[in-house]
Amino acid sequence: MSNSKVFKSNMHVFCKNHGVGYIQYTTEIDVMDQVIKCFEIFFQNDNIVLTVPEEKMASVGIRHLIPKKMISDVMNIFKAEAKCIRVIWSKRSKEYEQKLYSGDIYAIAEVVRDLYGNASNPSRSYSERVIFEKAVYRVAAEISALQERDVEDVQAEILKTLAMYQDIYKTESNDTQSTTNDFENFAV
């Protein structure tokens, strides 16, 4: 039994290329004297409707939303310290885009966490801003669909969590640096 058999009308799904979508209804299409059951999936953020054959759901990157109990695991990613990668932006952007289009909510949450530190920098690149905003929206859209909340409220909660924890890490980092400087001054 394939995983796609459990998809049905009136449910939310996640597509790796478009984010959260809503299966509006099922339809049958006659192709070369063969009837194919398809799902009509509406993606509000992109304002498109995809017609996907039932047997192709997994292969085109459509999956069920994560279980509600895993939301806390996603939020814990935002509470972890951001990974600073000292590589040129073009290489980092490829890595972030791979994570963004992987369909893995945890990988997408890592992109949000890692790019948040530069979110308020007005001189950051356009592509960095776009990747960050897409990642935040995709995580927020999935959580909002699970909790039946407004996407903007979830986005605000994510950004608030990031701000609180990333500020803690910055403070700890500055305290460590000042302690190191104190020891260096003492040794002189």
Side-chain angles (χ1 to χ4, degrees):
M1 178 182 202
S2 85
N3 190 27
S4 64
K5 298 234 185 269
V6 295
F7 290 106
K8 57 185 183 238
S9 297
N10 302 319
M11 72 182 297
H12 286 92
V13 294
F14 189 92
C15 177
K16 67 180 185 175
N17 292 326
H18 300 287
V20 174
Y22 183 75
I23 299 177
Q24 295 176 320
Y25 54 87
T26 59
T27 186
E28 291 182 349
I29 299 174
D30 188 21
V31 178
M32 297 177 59
D33 297 327
Q34 190 176 26
V35 177
I36 299 173
K37 183 179 176 184
C38 297
F39 293 102
E40 295 283 326
I41 307 170
F42 176 66
F43 296 93
Q44 184 175 357
N45 192 43
D46 294 341
N47 199 25
I48 63 168
V49 176
L50 293 181
T51 303
V52 182
E54 181 179 38
E55 64 274 356
K56 297 287 185 183
M57 293 288 275
S59 67
V60 297
I62 296 176
R63 64 166 171 80
H64 293 277
L65 299 182
I66 62 169
K68 283 185 180 183
K69 63 184 176 188
M70 294 174 72
I71 293 173
S72 62
D73 295 339
V74 173
M75 295 304 286
N76 285 336
I77 291 172
F78 302 132
K79 296 175 184 178
E81 189 169 5
K83 293 181 180 152
C84 296
I85 303 169
R86 301 288 179 206
V87 179
I88 61 173
W89 170 247
S90 63
K91 288 185 180 181
R92 284 189 301 145
S93 70
K94 286 178 186 174
E95 180 183 324
Y96 291 139
E97 284 183 338
Q98 283 179 335
K99 287 183 175 185
L100 182 64
Y101 291 105
S102 70
D104 179 6
I105 190 75
Y106 298 111
I108 298 169
E110 289 173 0
V111 171
V112 173
R113 179 200 61 207
D114 294 346
L115 291 180
Y116 175 76
N118 204 22
S120 61
N121 183 353
S123 65
R124 71 181 171 158
S125 71
Y126 174 77
S127 63
E128 183 175 355
R129 183 171 54 87
V130 168
I131 291 170
F132 176 74
E133 289 172 357
K134 271 187 183 178
V136 170
Y137 184 84
R138 287 194 179 174
V139 172
E142 185 158 2
I143 292 172
S144 70
L146 289 164
Q147 295 180 335
E148 298 177 5
R149 293 174 53 199
D150 191 42
V151 176
E152 288 79 18
D153 292 342
V154 177
Q155 282 179 314
E157 182 182 335
I158 289 170
L159 295 175
K160 182 180 174 183
T161 302
L162 284 163
M164 184 171 65
Y165 282 91
Q166 297 310 316
D167 285 346
I168 290 170
Y169 292 122
K170 283 181 186 175
T171 304
E172 287 176 359
S173 175
N174 290 340
D175 289 346
T176 304
Q177 287 176 354
S178 66
T179 304
T180 304
N181 290 340
D182 291 343
F183 286 127
E184 289 172 357
N185 292 337
F186 183 73
V188 174

